[in-house]
Amino acid sequence: MFRLSNLLNSVVEGKPARSLDGSIAIWNFTNRCNLSCLHCYSKADLKAVDTLTTQKILDTLPKLKANGVKFLIFSGGEPLTRHDIYEIAQHCKLLGIVTYLSTNGLYVKKSNAEKILDTFNYIGISIDGSQKVHDAFRGLEGSFIASMKAVDLLNSYNQTKVGIRFTLTKDTYNDLAFIFELAEKHNIPKVYISHLVYSGRGLDNLIMDLTKEQRIKAVNFILDKAFEYHETKRDIEIVTGNMEMDSILFYKKFIDKYPQHTNEMKQRLVDWGGNSAGRKLLNIDSEGNVKPDPFFPFIIGNIFNQDFSDIWTNTPTELLQKLRIHPRVLSGKCENCNHLTICNGGSRSRAYAIYGELWAEDPSCYLEEGV
């Protein structure tokens, strides 16, 4: 993910870089969900049965910690459908692992709001546009109202732990401005904008991805919002995900506005390093399969028949070793791109979905060749 607001503010204000200092694991603890979202990469539904036992999860957490995982994103399906989700998160806290909850918010109530806030370091709730657009996209009438009630309820405790997550598609494109208006009106401290990755229902619904012209317009709007919030000191953080090329467009805008900080920003972007699948990012799905990211077309191991330390550190597969080369050795327009050290070539999952080749260029890249 690209934390552009944090990067912008810290460089201009001369503050230290926000270092990840470890890996992020996204764990799909369940494939059970009360919604049927068009873009869902795990094709979750209410009929799914949990494979992962509480004990198996608790046994694996120390191994994640021992192998450099500092952040764990609780995902699904809908993670709040698991009765043991708080126990798992508390175990993470004991290990010193920071926990993020990714939820649709429908199970957030007054009866559990404080417990959720006390348990998790951050909560991201999915909002994909205005009421009509969100409900159609999420497959349930009334889901927008329910999700926004959850956002407002959690934010009413003034802990600044809650943000909204929005996925950019042709269905939601026209509501991008609405999302920022919503954040401003409801004083939501963080907006995460995710680009579509071709996996799960996102692959089935490939036709709903943006054109390159739409993407450039959308990203420019997002970046302009970040600069606006910085200049007006509006405390709303913006993060984009699954499109590391956003950082290059951001860099070009930044050096036009703050040329005196060009070198510092360039160095921080290179240090960030772009797409980190298999390097500083991993996924464990609801069947125990380990992948370089949640969308990845290949499995690199399974925690039911392998030790996580062997999968991730001791005996990494050839695929994992290639993913960890930085910058990656890629073909197409990535091969001679001047900014490969920054974006690292973007999504391997999108490249494979379109070209059948992991090391091809990301087909969603909107940058001109040789930029």
Side-chain angles (χ1 to χ4, degrees), residues 13 17 32 40 121 134 143 153 166 205 230 265 294 301 331:
E13 296 167 11
R32 188 170 57 254
C40 181
N121 296 88
H134 174 95
S143 59
L153 173 61
F166 172 82
N205 295 282
H230 170 75
M265 180 57 76
S331 61

Side-chain angles (χ1 to χ4, degrees), residues 38-40 196-207 353-354:
L38 292 177
H39 67 305
C40 181
L196 185 70
V197 181
Y198 313 146
S199 179
R201 292 195 192 104
L203 180 56
D204 296 341
N205 295 282
L206 181 57
I207 193 172
I354 298 303

Side-chain angles (χ1 to χ4, degrees), residues 65-85:
K65 175 68 174 181
N67 286 275
V69 172
K70 300 288 184 68
F71 300 85
L72 183 56
I73 298 176
F74 285 56
S75 189
E78 170 51 56
L80 289 177
T81 62
R82 285 194 67 119
H83 70 280
D84 57 358
I85 204 70

Side-chain angles (χ1 to χ4, degrees), residues 312-342:
W312 192 247
T313 304
N314 297 337
T315 55
T317 63
E318 182 181 353
L319 168 60
L320 206 52
Q321 293 177 53
K322 289 184 71 174
L323 284 170
R324 290 172 177 174
I325 295 171
H326 189 272
R328 291 174 183 148
V329 180
L330 305 174
S331 61
K333 66 181 183 181
C334 290
E335 189 172 1
N336 298 308
C337 181
N338 296 326
H339 297 289
L340 187 60
T341 54
I342 294 177

Side-chain angles (χ1 to χ4, degrees), residues 251-263:
Y251 176 63
K252 291 180 177 295
K253 282 182 176 284
F254 179 87
I255 61 178
D256 284 342
K257 286 179 173 286
Y258 302 102
Q260 69 274 28
H261 297 296
T262 296
N263 292 337

Side-chain angles (χ1 to χ4, degrees), residues 6-18 261 264 268:
N6 182 272
L7 195 59
L8 169 60
N9 296 337
S10 62
V11 170
V12 173
E13 296 167 11
K15 296 179 180 178
R18 181 178 175 180
H261 297 296
E264 175 65 18
R268 293 214 193 176

